[in-house]
Amino acid sequence: RISERFPESGLAEVGERVLTLAEEASDRSRAIGRPIKVLRIATVLLVASIVMAIVAMGITFQMPKSVPTLLEFVQLFESGINDIVFIGAGIFFLVSFERRLKRNRALAYLNDLRAIAHIIDMHQLTKDPVRLSQDWTPSASSPKLKLTPFLMTRYLDYCSEMLAIVGKISALYIQYFDDEVVTSAVNEIEQLTTGLSRKIWQKIMIMRSV
């Protein structure tokens, strides 16, 4: 619709990009939601190896022949605690690696949506309804106004529609992947697009009253 109304315009190119992001979002969200079997198998094997190594160390451990002093006991206890912490951190890193990998992919896709929302906003910045007023006088640096009131209304409406679509596309990335960080990023994009769309509708309402 944008290409038919505004052929060879920058807004039409942005619309093509939004269409591409929408077509890719469904497959991308499903791919993020699917388990990475190779990574899970590797994680299980590594964790099992660590556990077996700990068990083997426990089996082969020999108690000292003499009773350790308090200082030696404290040193052994501290060393044991440090080993447990490091081992636990290593296991947690391996177990959470898949989620962090998927999170990074989802955030990268969401950054593309955030960027396109700002690009849409940049296109509508110069579409100021005040310029349609009879009292408005352009300066030497004012951009040329080539749109009629009807076309400007349609232009702003298309921008508002695309912003709404961008917000809905972002929600697809939490359809199959439940993650707090990604959910927060999606909410931020929806708030961003809603705020930008509200600003555009204020312009449309002003035009209707001019």
Side-chain angles (χ1 to χ4, degrees), residues 17-90:
R17 179 57 181 161
V18 172
L19 177 60
T20 301
L21 291 174
E23 292 172 343
E24 295 174 346
S26 181
D27 293 336
R28 286 177 170 179
S29 64
R30 286 189 175 89
I32 292 175
R34 285 194 294 266
I36 306 177
K37 295 182 179 180
V38 175
L39 185 58
R40 291 191 177 186
I41 293 173
T43 300
V44 171
L45 293 176
L46 287 172
V47 172
S49 300
I50 293 174
V51 172
M52 291 176 62
I54 295 173
V55 172
M57 290 175 59
I59 294 174
T60 58
F61 177 76
Q62 295 181 355
M63 293 293 295
K65 296 180 180 180
S66 59
V67 179
T69 63
L70 179 60
L71 179 60
E72 292 175 341
F73 177 79
V74 171
Q75 290 177 343
L76 289 173
F77 181 78
E78 182 180 2
S79 177
I81 292 297
N82 289 336
D83 292 340
I84 292 174
V85 170
F86 286 128
I87 292 172

Side-chain angles (χ1 to χ4, degrees), residues 2 6 8-18 115-129 131 143-145 147 151-160 162-163 196 199-200 203:
I2 298 174
F6 305 102
E8 299 182 358
S9 64
L11 191 65
E13 295 180 1
V14 177
E16 291 291 341
R17 179 57 181 161
V18 172
I116 202 70
H118 285 291
I119 292 174
I120 295 171
D121 183 53
M122 289 176 60
H123 276 77
Q124 66 86 30
L125 285 177
T126 57
K127 308 304 181 289
D128 191 350
R131 301 177 62 189
K144 295 181 179 181
L145 181 62
L147 300 179
L151 289 178
M152 184 179 289
T153 301
R154 298 308 306 141
Y155 193 100
L156 293 173
D157 188 51
Y158 290 146
C159 290
S160 178
M162 283 195 293
L163 287 170
L196 296 176
K199 181 173 61 175
I200 293 173
K203 289 185 176 182

Side-chain angles (χ1 to χ4, degrees), residues 86-97:
F86 286 128
I87 292 172
I91 293 176
F92 176 80
F93 175 83
L94 293 174
V95 172
S96 63
F97 182 74

